[in-house]
Amino acid sequence: MDDLVVVRVFTGPEGTGGNELGIVYDGPSVADRAERQQLATELGYSETVFLDDPDAGVADIYTPSARLPFAGHPLVGLARLLRDRGRPVDVLRPPAGEVAVRHDGDLTWITGRAAWVTGRRTERFDSPADIDALPAPPPGEGWLYAWAWQDETAGLVRARAFPRRGDDIVEDEATGAAALLLTAELGRPLDIRQGTGSQILTLPHPDGTIEVGGRVTD
């Protein structure tokens, strides 16, 4: 597609890792939801986002097998692309609600709520080595965010994510929504090192909202 942009979201400080994201910049060119789902399935990225209104920040998000009301890495990636194309927005509007956006140097931040993150379970392991030793996917059913403290005092977490939903995404390289959920459960800022080399930063706020931030590269 001429209007398909692919970026990597939540790359590490040295450009490592990052979760590939497909962005259909001209969302209305694929107007039907069934067609959007089919395209997301064919593209095979963990998520594909359709930009329906760049001025209002209206966005529609799909995995290869489902439509999502909210997801972190598609919104961070889309916010960064809009800024880089000279059309920055302060708010994105996925189906879940209004998502505030801000940029700080090479980091892009979005704000969400834990209530928007459904169908996911976090599980703490004893050590980062235990996380690294997990098979992909581990036994069991349902979305699993496996994590362990790498440095609890510093808020540094080692994590891996396993959708286990029956599509081709065996392991998710970087997952903003799951990071948001874990932050809500722990009630503190986190520096999450996920997958093969991704970094996700989080900041909880007194009103219950949580910011999720990271780098975006081409």
Side-chain angles (χ1 to χ4, degrees):
M1 296 181 62
D2 293 338
D3 64 341
L4 176 66
V5 182
V6 180
V7 297
R8 289 187 298 131
V9 184
F10 297 131
T11 52
E14 305 302 323
T16 57
N19 200 354
E20 283 191 314
L21 169 69
I23 302 174
V24 181
Y25 197 78
D26 181 12
S29 67
V30 187
D32 183 76
R33 285 188 186 178
E35 292 179 359
R36 291 183 174 193
Q37 184 62 76
Q38 180 179 355
L39 178 59
T41 301
E42 291 173 354
L43 291 173
Y45 302 119
S46 61
E47 275 128 9
T48 298
V49 60
F50 297 81
L51 177 61
D52 287 328
D53 185 335
D55 295 322
V58 178
D60 196 19
I61 306 165
Y62 292 78
T63 74
S65 57
R67 183 175 186 248
L68 299 179
F70 172 82
H73 103 274
L75 297 176
V76 169
L78 179 58
R80 187 69 178 207
L81 179 67
L82 285 168
R83 195 195 78 162
D84 289 349
R85 291 196 170 188
R87 305 189 73 170
V89 294
D90 295 324
V91 176
L92 289 172
R93 293 177 172 86
E98 293 193 350
V99 174
V101 172
R102 70 179 176 94
H103 302 276
D104 180 13
D106 64 346
L107 299 176
T108 297
W109 296 83
I110 57 101
T111 300
R113 297 183 177 275
W116 294 347
V117 183
T118 60
R120 304 189 183 202
R121 179 176 65 86
T122 67
E123 182 177 345
R124 181 179 175 179
F125 287 73
D126 290 335
S127 71
D130 291 336
I131 299 297
D132 292 338
L134 289 171
E141 298 180 355
W143 224 109
L144 174 66
Y145 199 57
W147 70 280
W149 286 117
Q150 188 166 320
D151 184 337
E152 185 171 359
T153 300
L156 183 60
V157 168
R158 173 70 178 127
R160 292 172 67 192
F162 306 100
R164 297 192 300 195
R165 60 187 171 221
D167 58 29
D168 291 334
I169 306 300
V170 175
E171 180 171 353
D172 211 359
E173 172 61 28
T175 316
L180 188 156
L181 180 62
L182 181 62
T183 303
E185 292 174 352
L186 298 177
R188 57 178 294 184
L190 298 176
D191 178 347
I192 300 172
R193 306 304 173 95
Q194 187 177 323
T196 63
S198 301
Q199 182 181 32
I200 306 169
L201 302 172
T202 67
L203 290 171
H205 294 289
D207 65 355
T209 61
I210 296 171
E211 284 190 284
V212 178
R215 300 171 187 83
V216 180
T217 61
D218 295 335

